[in-house]
């Protein structure tokens, strides 16, 4: 496992999770759809997504991920199980096309590849070049603090009064992330799809299904003990 590649992938997963955690059904379920044109309505949508996110104590779901490489012209798909527990705990368990585990207990990041028989173990604060993922895990859902937000208008969204696409741009340089698109359902105020663009034009699209919110996840699902037959890599601290 390449350290830089692992760090970039984990950072992308955390950023996607930050937005997807605001997609769970919250107190706005069943509210009247907003007209999608006015700026004040956009502010209300953002406020309600943030409010829902702030109420998430734990979350479990299945995920489907599509990564498109601009340079290689290749598309890779993967799926598995996604868990979050605040403060600080997260688990991405890839099941297809191959097993791989990204898990943190809030202190240590473990990246386990059964095929390679390797485990990368690193302090969470050392694993990320951006403060945004760590803020999310601590419960900070204030999107406006880190992103400028604008609506995306095209023929598809104009034809559907119940869908809004939000275009998020980092207000400060964010390593590996240049733009995020959130597809919001205005009837339920759920984020149905998150698309992340990196500086090279590659995209990562993540969707969640079978989402369950605040079910009381146990801490044991965010703990990890390396198997006896694997090599443990401890990257040097920056």
């Amino acid at each position: 496992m390449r350290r830089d590649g692992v760090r970039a992938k984990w950072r992308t997963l955390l950023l996607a999770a930050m937005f997807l955690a605001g997609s769970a059904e919250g107190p706005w379920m069943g509210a009247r759809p907003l007209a999608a044109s006015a700026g004040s309505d956009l502010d209300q949508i953002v406020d309600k997504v943030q409010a829902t996110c702030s109420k998430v104590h734990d979350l479990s779901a299945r995920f489907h991920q599509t990564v498109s490489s601009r340079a290689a012209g290749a598309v890779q798909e993967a799926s598995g199980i996604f868990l979050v527990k605040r403060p600080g705990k997260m688990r991405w368990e890839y099941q297809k096309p191959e097993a791989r585990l990204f898990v943190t207990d809030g202190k240590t990041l473990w990246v386990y590849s059964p095929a390679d028989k390797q485990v990368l173990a690193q302090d969470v604060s050392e694993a990320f070049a951006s403060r945004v993922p760590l803020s999310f895990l601590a419960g900070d859902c204030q999107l406006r603090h880190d992103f400028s937000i604008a609506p995306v208008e095209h023929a598809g969204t104009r034809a559907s009064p119940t869908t809004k696409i939000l275009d998020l741009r980092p207000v400060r340089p964010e390593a590996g992330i240049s733009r995020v698109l959130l597809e919001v359902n205005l009837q339920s105020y759920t984020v149905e799809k998150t698309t992340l663009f990196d500086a090279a034009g590659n995209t990562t699209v993540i969707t969640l299904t079978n989402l369950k919110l605040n079910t009381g996840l146990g801490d044991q699902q965010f703990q990890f003990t390396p198997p006896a037959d694997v090599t443990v890599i401890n990257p040097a601290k920056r």
Side-chain angles (χ1 to χ4, degrees):
M1 291 181 289
R2 291 183 56 189
R3 178 185 173 189
D4 291 344
V6 167
R7 179 183 292 177
K9 186 170 186 178
W10 179 246
R11 182 173 57 243
T12 299
L13 293 177
L14 275 177
L15 284 165
M18 178 177 71
F19 305 111
L20 290 167
S23 72
E25 294 181 3
W28 319 110
M29 187 67 181
R32 182 176 62 85
L34 296 172
S37 57
S40 60
D41 291 340
L42 176 63
D43 288 339
Q44 290 180 51
I45 295 169
V46 175
D47 288 343
K48 291 176 179 180
V49 170
Q50 290 182 158
T52 302
C53 176
S54 68
K55 296 178 185 297
V56 174
H57 303 296
D58 63 68
L59 178 156
S60 63
R62 293 200 60 82
F63 73 88
H64 184 271
Q65 173 183 300
T66 303
V67 178
S68 301
S69 170
R70 182 178 182 180
V75 177
Q76 296 180 326
E77 297 191 39
S79 60
I81 297 172
F82 169 58
L83 306 174
V84 170
K85 183 177 181 180
R86 287 174 171 155
K89 301 175 179 65
M90 185 173 290
R91 180 185 184 100
W92 289 89
E93 184 176 340
Y94 283 78
Q95 298 173 330
K96 297 179 180 180
E98 66 179 48
R100 181 161 289 191
L101 178 64
F102 295 74
V103 62
T104 178
D105 59 4
K107 297 179 180 179
T108 302
L109 165 65
W110 302 91
V111 182
Y112 173 42
S113 173
D116 296 332
K117 292 189 175 182
Q118 287 185 350
V119 175
L120 184 149
Q122 188 173 15
D123 187 276
V124 169
S125 63
E126 289 286 318
F128 311 113
S130 168
R131 58 162 291 278
V132 174
L134 295 178
S135 296
F136 157 73
L137 284 177
D140 182 359
C141 297
Q142 298 303 309
L143 298 179
R144 293 187 187 90
H145 183 271
D146 296 296
F147 300 91
S148 61
I149 306 173
V152 174
E153 295 289 355
H154 56 61
T157 57
R158 287 194 296 272
S160 175
T162 61
T163 300
K164 189 71 172 180
I165 298 178
L166 305 183
D167 188 342
L168 280 63
R169 310 281 181 134
V171 296
R172 293 170 296 277
E174 287 293 342
I177 298 296
S178 61
R179 184 185 185 194
V180 182
L181 296 180
L182 304 183
E183 189 169 312
V184 181
N185 184 310
L186 297 182
Q187 290 183 319
S188 61
Y189 295 103
T190 59
V191 178
E192 298 183 334
K193 180 167 64 177
T194 298
T195 304
L196 297 100
F197 298 81
D198 67 16
N202 305 313
T203 61
T204 300
V205 181
I206 298 182
T207 58
L208 298 184
T209 58
N210 300 328
L211 192 148
K212 298 178 181 179
L213 182 65
N214 297 336
T215 59
L217 294 177
D219 290 343
Q220 69 275 9
Q221 298 184 79
F222 305 95
Q223 299 169 353
F224 181 79
T225 300
D229 62 342
V230 305
T231 300
V232 178
I233 302 170
N234 299 107
K237 290 187 177 183
R238 296 194 302 269

